[in-house]
Amino acid sequence: QVQLVESGGGVVQSGGSLTLSCSASGNIRNNNIMGWYRQADGKQRELVATITSYKYPTYADSVKGRFTISRPGTEDTIQLQMNSLKPEDTAVYYCNAKNRDPWNKPLDDFWGYGTRVTVSS
């Protein structure tokens, strides 16, 4: 099992910034991929950004150029720097972690409890 603890959500005005953090503990492998997904009220959960244990990032088109995902220092901790926030970024943000085999095939799937981000107009 892998435990994920998220922090950093809150309320911010449109155009503002927030930083989300997620720390993983437990059976997290050296080869893994971690990321952030979000779910707005009444909508399906969607990918925001991911980063591999080799620090390769990917982003949803809707956040490219505004959000930055990173693994600062400690390998099993990720951060999501969110700039130029818009009301449509309002959602519950969930941290996700997947261990991977040597061919990068996901082996499992773990989720945090989520942290709410509200962007007021």
Side-chain angles (χ1 to χ4, degrees):
Q1 288 290 318
V2 172
Q3 293 77 42
L4 301 172
V5 177
E6 303 132 326
S7 62
V11 180
V12 65
Q13 288 190 332
S14 181
S17 299
L18 279 176
T19 302
L20 305 183
S21 295
C22 175
S23 294
S25 61
N27 296 324
I28 186 82
R29 294 189 176 201
N30 288 335
N31 186 4
N32 62 73
I33 183 167
M34 294 180 67
W36 292 94
Y37 292 71
R38 67 187 180 187
Q39 187 166 16
D41 292 343
K43 295 188 177 181
Q44 289 188 329
R45 191 172 297 188
E46 63 176 6
L47 171 72
V48 176
T50 62
I51 187 166
T52 70
S53 46
Y54 305 105
K55 301 189 177 182
Y56 183 81
T58 60
Y59 298 94
D61 288 343
S62 59
V63 306
K64 280 181 182 176
R66 299 188 299 123
F67 291 10
T68 302
I69 191 168
S70 64
R71 285 188 184 245
T74 304
E75 292 300 319
D76 297 332
T77 296
I78 62 170
Q79 288 187 344
L80 184 69
Q81 176 66 43
M82 305 185 292
N83 297 327
S84 302
L85 282 161
K86 306 174 182 180
E88 49 264 45
D89 294 316
T90 295
V92 177
Y93 284 70
Y94 296 91
C95 183
N96 176 264
K98 299 177 179 65
N99 289 310
R100 303 194 298 178
D101 69 12
W103 298 272
N104 294 332
K105 177 182 177 182
L107 298 172
D108 44 37
D109 198 15
F110 299 99
W111 294 91
Y113 288 107
T115 184
R116 180 170 290 277
V117 172
T118 302
V119 184
S120 61
S121 57

